């Protein structure tokens, strides 16, 4: 991977479109935004995200920014983080927020859903140990519910608290005094969010674009 020199060419567009599911037009729009954020440099750094006003007030700002520099999100089975990213890495991370196409098969939709949940799990598994804590799970559920315009903040928090207690009873069950709770694994995470509509809720508006339009 790495930075693309100036504007991506036809061959590079084809590779990126196949890898991310974005159309040539969408890749062009995202490339323009990438160049704006990077001040026409070939790579983006964390400090470039500090200049985004809409991101400054986001309660999970740190997790969002780190997601762009987390090798686990580059679809290369990597580990650790990087200090800067090129347009291809940026595009791959953005594709995790792209709603599923209306023309996808059920199998493709399931694959997209699993990728989105893996991305979400990685955001909260900050130490990359393969688990998230019960408290992190409560915050995650609260964040997802807060995206609903029909729920008040206190209601979302109450549901999230109940979800934490539920997962504690399911995943921990009866524990002996000398047993240590290691946390929620990804496979358990999939079961916990089974039936939760995640596909259209994950979108980014802080880049001054609504990613729900990127499925059209």
């Amino acid at each position: 991977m790495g930075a693309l020199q100036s504007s991506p060419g036809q061959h590079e567009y084809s590779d990126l479109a196949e890898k991310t599911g974005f159309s040539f037009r969408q890749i062009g729009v995202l490339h323009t935004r990438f160049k704006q954020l990077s001040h026409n440099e070939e790579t983006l750094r964390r400090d470039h995200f500090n200049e985004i006003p809409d991101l400054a007030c986001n309660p999970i700002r740190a997790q969002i920014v780190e997601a762009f520099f987390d090798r686990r999100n580059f679809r290369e089975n990597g580990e650790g983080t990087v200090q800067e990213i090129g347009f291809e890495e940026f595009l791959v991370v953005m594709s995790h927020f792209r709603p599923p196409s209306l023309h996808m098969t059920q199998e493709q939709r399931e694959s997209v859903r699993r990728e989105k949940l893996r991305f979400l799990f990685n955001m909260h598994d900050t130490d990359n140990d393969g688990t998230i804590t019960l408290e992190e799970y409560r915050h995650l559920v609260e964040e997802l519910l807060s995206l609903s315009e029909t729920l008040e903040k206190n209601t979302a928090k109450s549901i999230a608290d109940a979800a934490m207690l539920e997962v504690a009873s399911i995943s921990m069950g009866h524990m002996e005094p000398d047993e240590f709770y290691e946390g929620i694994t990804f496979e358990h995470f999939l079961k916990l969010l089974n039936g939760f509509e995640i596909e259209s809720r994950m979108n980014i508006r802080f880049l001054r674009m609504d990613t729900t339009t990127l499925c059209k």
Side-chain angles (χ1 to χ4, degrees):
M1 280 199 179
L4 293 175
Q5 301 301 315
S6 63
S7 296
Q10 187 78 8
H11 174 69
E12 293 163 318
Y13 264 25
S14 296
D15 290 343
L16 292 174
E18 182 177 352
K19 191 166 191 175
T20 65
F22 287 126
S23 69
F24 284 15
R25 180 188 65 81
Q26 292 162 351
I27 293 172
V29 170
L30 287 166
H31 187 262
T32 297
R33 189 63 181 121
F34 176 87
K35 298 299 285 185
Q36 291 172 342
L37 290 174
S38 68
H39 302 291
N40 287 317
E41 295 180 18
E42 296 299 332
T43 58
L44 268 177
R45 301 183 306 274
R46 287 173 177 80
D47 59 286
H48 286 130
F49 287 86
N50 293 333
E51 302 172 15
I52 304 175
D54 293 340
L55 184 56
C57 299
N58 194 301
I60 58 168
R61 175 193 176 281
Q63 292 99 312
I64 292 174
V65 172
E66 282 305 308
F68 281 88
F69 300 89
D70 190 333
R71 292 181 187 274
R72 293 176 296 175
N73 298 327
F74 297 163
R75 297 201 176 106
E76 290 188 335
N77 298 319
E79 294 183 359
T81 60
V82 296
Q83 296 304 309
E84 56 185 29
I85 58 172
F87 178 61
E88 185 174 348
E89 289 95 341
F90 174 78
L91 196 66
V92 169
V93 174
M94 282 296 297
S95 70
H96 290 289
F97 295 90
R98 178 178 176 272
S101 167
L102 297 176
H103 307 294
M104 282 184 177
T105 64
Q106 186 59 35
E107 183 178 355
Q108 289 172 325
R109 283 180 172 274
E110 287 300 320
S111 177
V112 167
R113 175 181 172 80
R114 186 181 179 90
E115 278 195 3
K116 285 178 178 289
L117 288 174
R118 168 59 79 178
F119 180 83
L120 197 60
F121 184 87
N122 287 347
M123 284 181 65
H124 291 269
D125 177 21
T126 54
D127 58 1
N128 195 14
D129 69 347
T131 62
I132 58 176
T133 67
L134 290 174
E135 185 66 15
E136 287 169 337
Y137 176 74
R138 182 181 71 79
H139 285 308
L140 186 153
V141 172
E142 187 175 349
E143 289 159 17
L144 290 174
L145 292 173
S146 68
L147 297 175
S148 172
E149 297 179 356
T150 60
L151 283 179
E152 294 183 356
K153 185 175 181 179
N154 288 339
T155 302
K157 186 177 185 303
S158 297
I159 295 174
D161 288 341
M164 182 182 71
L165 293 175
E166 180 181 0
V167 70
S169 64
I170 293 174
S171 62
M172 296 173 67
H174 175 71
M175 296 183 69
E176 298 300 328
D178 60 345
E179 287 184 303
F180 175 72
Y181 178 63
E182 296 181 351
I184 302 167
T185 65
F186 178 62
E187 292 304 321
H188 196 191
F189 182 71
L190 289 177
K191 294 178 182 178
L192 290 169
L193 290 183
N194 182 40
F196 191 92
E197 200 281 308
I198 186 69
E199 289 81 350
S200 63
R201 292 196 180 199
M202 279 180 59
N203 56 76
I204 287 184
R205 291 184 172 85
F206 67 78
L207 293 173
R208 298 195 182 282
M209 60 175 64
D210 184 350
T211 54
T212 57
T213 65
L214 295 178
C215 62
K216 298 178 181 177

